[in-house]
Amino acid sequence: MSAPRRLPVLLLISLACGGGTDKHPSGDLPEVSAARLKEHISYLASDRLAGRGTGTPGYDSAAHYVAERFAELGLDSAGTSGYFQPVPFRHARAVDGSGLVLVGRSGRRALIPYRDYVPVPNFVAPRAEVTAPLLFAGFGVTAPERGYDDYQGVDAKGKIVVLLTGAPSSFPPAGRAHYASNRLKRENAVGRGAVGLLVVRTRDQTFPWDRLVRQSHRGNMRWLDRNGAPTDVSPALKGAGTLSDSAAAQVFEGAPQSLSQVLDAAAAGKPRSFDLPLRATLRTVSTYDRLESPNVAGLLRGSDPHLRDEVVVYTAHLDHLGIGEPVKGDSIYNGALDNASGSAALLEVARAFASLPTAPRRSVLFVAVTGEEEGLLGSDYYAEYPTVPLERMVANVNIDGLALLYPFREMSALGAEHSTLDSTVARVARRMGVTVAPDPFPQEVFFIRSDQYSFVRRGVPAVFPFMGMRSDSGVDAAARFKDWLATRYHLPQDDSDQPMDLEAGARNAQLEFLVGLEIANADERPTWKQGDFFGTTFGQQRAGSR
Ligand SMILES: [Zn+2]
């Protein structure tokens, strides 16, 4: 389908850069400077910015830094207040007075918040309590198109449902990622009449329990709609939380299957659903505060009078976790790789576009988004209240974590296979001498875990280029990445002191630039593949609006 477009696109790029050949990996196109990337990362990840927590002064400094760079590059302001689009949030925390009590044949057991389970605050009721029987409902997934339903033969009405993280391994990666989403599971449970939700972690979790506990002390956020109401809440659900492994084992005591049998069945693909011989009282006391934190948006106008109203949207989240519990004596979660590096790349990709002798045919929008670490909130808000019409957004290219760990020779293009973006990425990769590999960690469902998903959910084809797991330096890339996940990811140790291969980062940013440039200059806008899961699920929302 996309093959006939290949030649014209390459020709256009060649024309745009003065007839450069493919002799150099990137022709005569602007190159991304490793030194500039370093400068941005050093500032954004400095202790001065205190980890850029959503709603903090450190984040605001980062936002001003981005806006100043956008202005220097001559980008049009594309926020609602200059370059800024302020996003209002409710920040909620479950506090003292919250608790979970299990009552079964063997008696009554009180579970301690932030030790035995991580409570989820209630966004609409400061004091919420529910007592109900427990139902184990597998992954909590209902996928009619696959003939799969964890609720088949059981009744969730008036019950607290106990669900596993993730989705069946038998699903293809896209469906697995989609159905693993908390939001979907919560909505499904509420639709079945559930009044509470407890999550049990499967065995393939790479995010350690103690880190989850540490992070959950910070509370949760939701953005507020134009009436000031928190969105993405389910008032019918009176309480929710995630169980520790030992609490989960207690929940399955005396049940038709033990926790370990359940986890075996889950790993094999299809857990059985059944009522648990327990009742639970889940009490949640929540405190609220209101925050505001801006997205930052700048636009480069396209040069083609017929195509310039269409927009390629680049996103990178500017926020990180801020100040938190100290680890090894450090309490600043600087987020150097996650995602000062991607924000730096966003700025340098914008510079590359701005320095083209002729602007690309379509317009290119650069959005540094807030609230990603709080649940993709800034991008969700932007996609809900976009400053360019949603139906004119032809694609989203998301940058979350540059390849800084080793010289890479492979990239994964998460999500590209769902649309014609896969051939775009393939062309760019060839040009740069990089191979494109499938998602190396499908069980991590990265595709729904960063900001591109906010656009995908509204029908916009998206790609999240992600560092590959092969290096040309003899490094065991996968081992190094896993080590990074274990020792630095979402820890204060993701700071500027870690070794960073900025040349690899610059090459990664160059690839991001070329992907957007191809999309911006192509004759046709990207389309979902015929019958694709996301295109079918979400794409029709935009059909007819073109
Ligand atoms: Zn993160």
Side-chain angles (χ1 to χ4, degrees), residues 61 232 347 491:
S61 299
D232 188 25
L347 294 175
L491 289 172

Side-chain angles (χ1 to χ4, degrees), residues 3 14 32 70 91 156 181 284 321 345 372 378 415 485:
S14 303
V32 171
F70 281 176
H91 174 224
S181 112
T284 314
L321 300 166
E372 191 270 354
L485 281 181

Side-chain angles (χ1 to χ4, degrees), residues 57-68:
Y59 178 89
D60 289 343
S61 299
H64 278 100
Y65 180 84
V66 169
E68 281 161 24

Side-chain angles (χ1 to χ4, degrees), residues 39-370:
E39 200 182 308
H40 300 316
I41 294 171
S42 300
Y43 175 71
L44 294 171
S46 65
D47 284 356
R48 246 174 86 192
L49 268 57
R52 307 183 307 283
T54 297
T56 65
Y59 178 89
D60 289 343
S61 299
H64 278 100
Y65 180 84
V66 169
E68 281 161 24
R69 302 290 87 73
F70 281 176
E72 278 169 15
L73 296 172
L75 301 187
D76 293 349
S77 59
T80 51
S81 170
Y83 290 106
F84 300 117
Q85 181 191 44
V87 183
F89 293 102
R90 175 169 293 173
H91 174 224
R93 288 176 28 136
V95 295
D96 283 354
S98 303
L100 172 60
V101 177
L102 304 176
V103 183
R105 278 179 223 126
S106 55
R108 181 181 180 280
R109 264 181 289 196
L111 303 184
I112 311 295
Y114 300 110
R115 190 194 74 184
D116 304 323
Y117 79 105
V118 166
V120 176
N122 191 306
F123 278 89
V124 288
R127 289 178 169 274
E129 181 171 322
V130 62
T131 299
L134 298 187
L135 166 74
F136 172 62
F139 293 107
V141 165
T142 302
E145 77 284 0
R146 302 197 62 79
Y148 183 100
D149 185 8
D150 281 318
Y151 288 96
Q152 191 176 17
V154 292
D155 182 9
K157 200 164 170 24
K159 292 178 189 166
I160 296 171
V161 290
V162 176
L163 304 181
L164 299 168
T165 52
S169 54
S170 57
F171 284 24
R176 190 176 176 190
H178 173 70
Y179 284 111
S181 112
N182 292 335
R183 178 198 305 247
L184 205 64
K185 290 184 179 203
R186 173 161 38 81
E187 286 169 358
N188 195 23
V190 167
R192 306 292 177 139
V195 292
L197 201 166
L198 294 172
V199 173
V200 170
R201 287 156 45 96
T202 51
R203 291 204 187 98
D204 51 9
Q205 305 295 309
T206 52
F207 200 64
W209 172 252
D210 59 337
R211 217 178 295 176
L212 185 69
V213 170
R214 210 179 289 138
Q215 203 169 301
S216 64
H217 279 290
R218 304 164 55 249
N220 299 57
M221 291 187 201
R222 293 289 188 274
W223 56 261
L224 302 173
D225 67 15
R226 291 192 166 153
N227 302 314
T231 45
D232 188 25
V233 293
S234 306
L237 216 55
K238 300 301 178 199
T242 300
L243 299 170
S244 72
D245 293 348
S246 67
Q250 293 179 31
V251 163
F252 285 91
E253 273 172 25
Q257 288 185 325
S258 68
L259 174 64
S260 113
Q261 287 170 321
V262 161
L263 296 179
D264 286 345
K270 176 69 178 85
R272 214 175 99 204
S273 300
F274 48 81
D275 281 296
L276 292 159
L278 282 176
R279 294 171 71 77
T281 297
L282 186 50
R283 189 186 321 116
T284 314
V285 180
S286 308
T287 57
Y288 305 143
D289 47 318
R290 192 183 189 281
L291 302 172
E292 202 169 87
S293 184
N295 293 323
V296 191
L299 183 82
L300 181 85
R301 291 282 286 161
S303 57
D304 183 325
H306 301 290
L307 292 178
R308 64 158 58 124
D309 286 341
E310 295 187 347
V311 183
V312 179
V313 185
Y314 277 95
T315 45
H317 77 86
L318 187 57
D319 68 301
H320 193 57
L321 300 166
I323 307 274
E325 291 205 9
V327 178
K328 295 182 188 159
D330 189 356
S331 61
I332 303 178
Y333 289 64
N334 305 78
L337 199 141
D338 180 13
N339 187 30
S341 71
S343 305
L346 183 81
L347 294 175
E348 290 311 305
V349 168
R351 180 190 305 277
F353 272 102
S355 67
L356 288 169
T358 309
R361 297 171 72 192
R362 291 185 177 79
S363 297
V364 186
L365 177 71
F366 303 92
V367 194
V369 294
T370 187

